[in-house]
Amino acid sequence: MSYDTNNIFAKILRGEIPCNKVYENEFALAFHDIAPAAPTHILVIPKGHFVSFSDFVVNAPTPLQQGYFASIEKIAAQQKLSDYRLISNNGAGVGQTVHHFHMHILAGKPMSALLPN
Ligand code: 5GP
């Protein structure tokens, strides 16, 4: 799949659509999910055109990859999250609906099962 520059997260990155921002640096932008699945539900997107996790780790420059993943830990610390779950849906077949790579940070309630029944 090629990158669609009109996807919703591309528009958020360009400032064309507002978001409830929690963190930003040169590598990543993080904001609250519009439909939270947990008391804390933050989306972390890289600053670049990557459709998925696999696209990002194969094609993003190493400094961007390192900076992006380090940002997730910084966000967790900033939000004072000791326990949290990271999810990335890699492809429409497992639920990816926005095709700009992102990680979900989920926290604030017990999460024993990996997947819902
Ligand atoms: P995916 O299904 O691709 O793994 O995750 C996409 C996430 O983006 C969903 O959890 C959805 O609620 C969230 N989302 C979709 N559109 C918007 C939006 O315009 N703003 C925000 N903040 N989140 C969005």
Side-chain angles (χ1 to χ4, degrees):
M1 172 187 282
S2 59
Y3 186 84
D4 175 6
T5 57
N6 283 320
N7 77 71
I8 197 88
F9 292 172
K11 290 180 179 177
I12 287 174
L13 257 185
R14 291 196 296 267
E16 296 168 7
I17 290 177
C19 69
N20 191 352
K21 182 165 81 173
V22 299
Y23 184 86
E24 184 171 19
N25 63 17
E26 67 186 291
F27 308 109
L29 173 68
F31 49 90
H32 292 287
D33 197 293
I34 202 167
T40 296
H41 187 169
I42 294 167
L43 301 169
V44 188
I45 67 175
K47 292 190 170 177
H49 291 177
F50 305 98
V51 298
S52 64
F53 170 80
S54 55
D55 183 22
F56 185 67
V57 299
V58 169
N59 295 312
T62 299
L64 176 57
Q65 292 191 39
Q66 291 176 335
Y68 170 80
F69 286 111
S71 298
I72 294 174
E73 196 283 326
K74 289 184 178 130
I75 293 160
Q78 178 199 67
Q79 298 290 313
K80 302 191 187 329
L81 304 177
S82 57
D83 299 358
Y84 56 91
R85 179 173 288 182
L86 299 176
I87 293 175
S88 185
N89 293 317
N90 192 76
V94 292
Q96 185 176 1
T97 58
V98 181
H99 297 281
H100 179 119
F101 169 53
H102 53 281
M103 300 285 300
H104 300 250
I105 303 176
L106 295 156
K109 70 174 187 180
M111 297 179 204
S112 52
L114 184 58
L115 292 172
N117 292 320

